[in-house]
Amino acid sequence: MDLAGSINAHPSHTADLPAPSASIPRPQTPGPTPSPLRVVHDTDGIDLAEAEHAAARFLAALGIDTGTESLRGTPGRMARAYAELFSPRPFDLTTFPNDEGYDELVLARSIPVRSVCEHHLLPFTGTAHVGYLPGHRILGLSKLARVVEHFACRPQVQERLTKQVADWLQAHLEPKGVGVVIEVEHSCMTLRGVQATGSSTLTSTLLGTLRHDARSRAEFLSLTGLRS
């Protein structure tokens, strides 16, 4: 048998296969990495010398003698202490591409909260639970605590603080949902007035899927120790 004729009688099927370039995905050109958002609190209005003089006058008006050795430095310490309470540390809001398409809850629990009640300038302290459902980007975990600190280091009310943290994360991270729960003890309630020692106040803000989807909301509240 003619070998050439045998080959011609059984034509190759390779002509029916797609070209190799059609079956291999072309490499995607990565887009530009967004620069981290630098979050800085404006401290230009702080005048420690004037604050110290004002603290001395304030104490004197309450009948406290600051001329003694133990109280002589108190006005300056007061000024520096409140300046620290009202000055959050700057940070970079670092995000990363959500390459794996992670779509489950990310939750940072028991973030320390310290703030000052704007009605009495007395501290309130406790914890915050902050979570989100990722979209296209994920957040460096420490930044959740940084955002809480950023809005807590100023004269505040707890309700506003809770919503500010949630709204800010929703605007800058663009997740599918955000949840914030804050539980704190207010010294303006425990040390004065009603003197409700041991009482705590709880507030929450839920946005996006965590607000509208019952199962997602229940998961978030359950993981924060609350019932839906």
Side-chain angles (χ1 to χ4, degrees), residues 38-41 84 86-92 114 145-147 149-150 153:
R38 184 66 173 170
V39 183
V40 180
H41 177 71
E84 181 179 344
F86 297 155
S87 301
R89 293 169 292 181
F91 69 97
D92 294 322
R114 64 166 196 182
R146 293 290 195 183
V147 174
E149 177 187 309
H150 178 75
C153 286

Side-chain angles (χ1 to χ4, degrees), residues 118-168:
E118 68 179 28
H119 300 142
H120 302 94
L121 287 190
L122 289 174
F124 62 87
T125 58
T127 58
H129 311 297
V130 182
Y132 72 99
L133 290 170
H136 295 296
R137 300 191 69 80
I138 55 177
L139 182 66
L141 290 178
S142 66
K143 308 310 177 186
L144 294 173
R146 293 290 195 183
V147 174
V148 171
E149 177 187 309
H150 178 75
F151 287 104
C153 286
R154 63 189 69 183
Q156 267 289 12
V157 296
Q158 183 178 341
E159 298 88 341
R160 182 194 305 129
L161 170 61
T162 308
K163 195 167 189 308
Q164 283 178 332
V165 172
D167 287 345
W168 199 88

Side-chain angles (χ1 to χ4, degrees), residues 1 12 33 40 45 58 66 70 77 84 135 145 169 181 190 208 216:
M1 177 182 291
S12 172
T33 301
V40 180
F58 172 74
T66 58
S70 60
R77 288 189 289 267
E84 181 179 344
L169 287 171
V181 171
T190 60
S216 297

